[in-house]
Amino acid sequence: MKLTSRRGISKQGNGNAPPACQQKTINDQRFLQQFITQVFIMKKFLFLAMVALLLGTTVTSCKGKSKADKVNDSIAVMMGKMEGTDFKAGLQQNPDMAMQIDKDQVLRGMMTVINMDTTKSSQSYIYGLKQGMRIYQELSQLEMQGINVDRRLYMNELKKVLESKDTINFDKMQKEMGELQNKLAALKDKSLKIRGEENLEAGKKYVDELLKGNDGYKKANSGAIYKIVEQGKGESFNETSVVDAKLLMKDINGNVLQNMSKPQPLPLAQIKQDPVFGKLYDIIKGMKPGAKATIVIPGDQIPEGMGLAPNMTYIFEITTVGLHPEPPRPAPTQAQNPSGDNAGQQPQPAPKPAAKQPAPTPAKK
């Protein structure tokens, strides 16, 4: 898993990539929505595989069921098995996501939707769920930036518009929506400014208490505050190390933004270039395998435009496991050893000269 902030630390250096914490949360939201959507959409090749299996499979059903019903039962069993396997595989590949969801509630949500019939009321309800998911993601992104939207007020105003008997004038609507967009942007900026001032004050107080306390916190050259909880063993990492590490990122209010509970590779050379995670570089580089550290990045050390709450102070709990294993190198060819030259090789015999060809016979006049 790559660890990136809004501008990213990927090799491509994409300056528009969202931060790891935000991207991870957004991906988690989309991950759950995609799994719910997959209940209704079965890929063609899976369906064909299911049909092929049906040719040689029978399922024991209750007495009195017709042959068609028994075949349909087989379809239900196989589709459920495949969907469950796909779902479980996705959770297995996303252990952080698996820790954040309740499987029983996921199943409850699935059952609510798939048991709907084709009546107008049921289809309307499903449409409402889809729109609600879109709104939920939009509001969640605002909350990550520190703008908490009152759901009740939001829905009351939405309901008022929908239930109004007024006819929409599209020309007038276009102008009004443009004005509303401008007002909304100004209000968002005002909210972020107020929240930024509050976060800055709370973060400064938090950091001052750490430095004045007896917990062993120090200030790094990067501006981050840190303490080494466990020293670890062996040699320290270097600037080219790819470190397998566990990482927990949260704000000073306890809200978890990222939880890498299983070791993930952290390429230090890429982290160094990142405007947010670069604050961790010198500290991680000085750690050893098996070490643990708590690192605090004050809000005034994080540039604007990272997609994070303004001036929020963040806490990183890092456990280094060791160096990430390098992929096996290809075996050297006969002409070149691993160092890139021919040193140490047995001299090869010189190629034999080509046999002389007889001179061409002059053409007869």
Side-chain angles (χ1 to χ4, degrees):
M1 175 183 291
K2 290 185 178 179
L3 182 64
T4 57
S5 73
R6 187 73 165 179
R7 296 179 183 174
I9 57 173
S10 63
K11 293 183 179 180
Q12 292 79 4
N14 185 351
N16 296 321
C21 51
Q22 183 183 10
Q23 183 65 55
K24 181 71 172 57
T25 305
I26 296 172
N27 285 343
D28 288 348
Q29 296 166 357
R30 292 176 179 169
F31 175 80
L32 182 56
Q33 186 182 17
Q34 288 170 356
F35 272 119
I36 295 175
T37 305
Q38 286 175 356
V39 175
F40 307 102
I41 304 175
M42 181 61 65
K43 296 177 182 178
K44 181 179 292 185
F45 78 92
L46 288 177
F47 180 77
L48 294 175
M50 176 195 71
V51 174
L53 288 172
L54 277 174
L55 298 177
T57 306
T58 57
V59 176
T60 304
S61 302
C62 298
K63 291 182 179 181
K65 285 196 173 185
S66 66
K67 290 182 179 181
D69 288 337
K70 292 179 180 180
V71 173
N72 291 341
D73 287 347
S74 297
I75 292 176
V77 170
M78 288 187 180
M79 289 185 69
K81 182 176 182 179
M82 287 188 293
E83 188 63 37
T85 301
D86 193 34
F87 186 21
K88 188 173 182 179
L91 294 178
Q92 188 171 319
Q93 292 174 348
N94 295 270
D96 297 336
M97 180 65 194
M99 294 180 61
Q100 297 177 35
I101 67 170
D102 185 328
K103 291 181 183 178
D104 291 337
Q105 293 303 312
V106 171
L107 293 172
R108 175 171 168 260
M110 288 181 175
M111 287 295 293
T112 299
V113 177
I114 68 174
N115 282 332
M116 292 290 172
D117 52 33
T118 57
T119 60
K120 180 179 178 180
S121 61
S122 294
Q123 293 302 304
S124 299
Y125 182 73
I126 292 175
Y127 180 77
L129 289 176
K130 291 179 179 179
Q131 295 302 313
M133 285 297 297
R134 179 184 58 80
I135 296 171
Y136 169 79
Q137 291 183 359
E138 182 180 355
L139 298 183
S140 296
Q141 291 181 36
L142 287 176
E143 288 178 349
M144 284 199 63
Q145 299 174 28
I147 301 177
N148 296 320
V149 177
D150 188 314
R151 262 69 167 173
R152 182 183 59 81
L153 292 176
Y154 182 102
M155 288 305 301
N156 283 346
E157 196 64 26
L158 189 153
K159 183 179 179 181
K160 188 187 301 182
V161 174
L162 285 181
E163 294 181 348
S164 171
K165 295 182 179 180
D166 296 337
T167 302
I168 297 291
N169 183 315
F170 288 96
D171 292 334
K172 183 179 178 181
M173 181 194 75
Q174 187 174 7
K175 181 181 178 181
E176 290 179 346
M177 291 297 285
E179 294 174 350
L180 286 174
Q181 287 285 357
N182 293 333
K183 291 180 180 179
L184 181 61
L187 286 173
K188 286 181 179 179
D189 289 341
K190 182 177 180 180
S191 176
L192 290 174
K193 183 179 179 180
I194 296 173
R195 184 54 58 90
E197 293 171 352
E198 295 174 349
N199 290 342
L200 190 62
E201 182 178 354
K204 186 177 184 302
K205 181 179 179 182
Y206 181 83
V207 169
D208 288 344
E209 290 178 353
L210 291 180
L211 293 175
K212 291 178 182 178
N214 298 320
D215 292 335
Y217 278 93
K218 302 177 183 179
K219 189 171 184 178
N221 293 332
S222 64
I225 312 300
Y226 75 100
K227 74 170 180 177
I228 304 298
V229 181
E230 294 185 15
Q231 294 293 333
K233 297 180 180 180
E235 297 182 0
S236 300
F237 304 111
N238 58 56
E239 60 273 6
T240 62
S241 297
V242 178
V243 182
D244 278 343
K246 301 177 183 179
L247 183 145
L248 174 69
M249 178 183 179
K250 59 185 179 181
D251 62 29
I252 58 175
N253 298 320
N255 300 312
V256 175
L257 281 80
Q258 186 165 19
N259 183 10
M260 290 164 42
S261 57
K262 292 188 177 182
Q264 301 289 341
L266 304 180
L268 296 188
Q270 295 182 30
I271 288 179
K272 184 179 181 180
Q273 306 301 322
D274 188 81
V276 176
F277 296 105
K279 307 292 183 183
L280 313 178
Y281 169 77
D282 286 328
I283 301 170
I284 299 178
K285 188 180 72 170
M287 296 170 69
K288 302 175 182 180
K292 293 183 180 180
T294 300
I295 307 173
V296 179
I297 301 182
D300 58 1
Q301 297 293 318
I302 299 178
E304 295 182 1
M306 295 291 102
L308 302 170
N311 295 328
M312 175 59 74
T313 296
Y314 292 100
I315 304 168
F316 297 82
E317 297 177 2
I318 298 177
T319 302
T320 58
V321 177
L323 288 173
H324 186 68
E326 296 183 5
R329 297 182 178 180
T333 63
Q334 186 177 8
Q336 189 176 25
N337 66 11
S339 63
D341 53 35
N342 295 323
Q345 291 189 7
Q346 295 295 328
Q348 302 296 321
K352 295 180 180 181
K356 291 185 178 181
Q357 300 294 330
T361 303
K364 292 183 179 180
K365 293 182 179 180

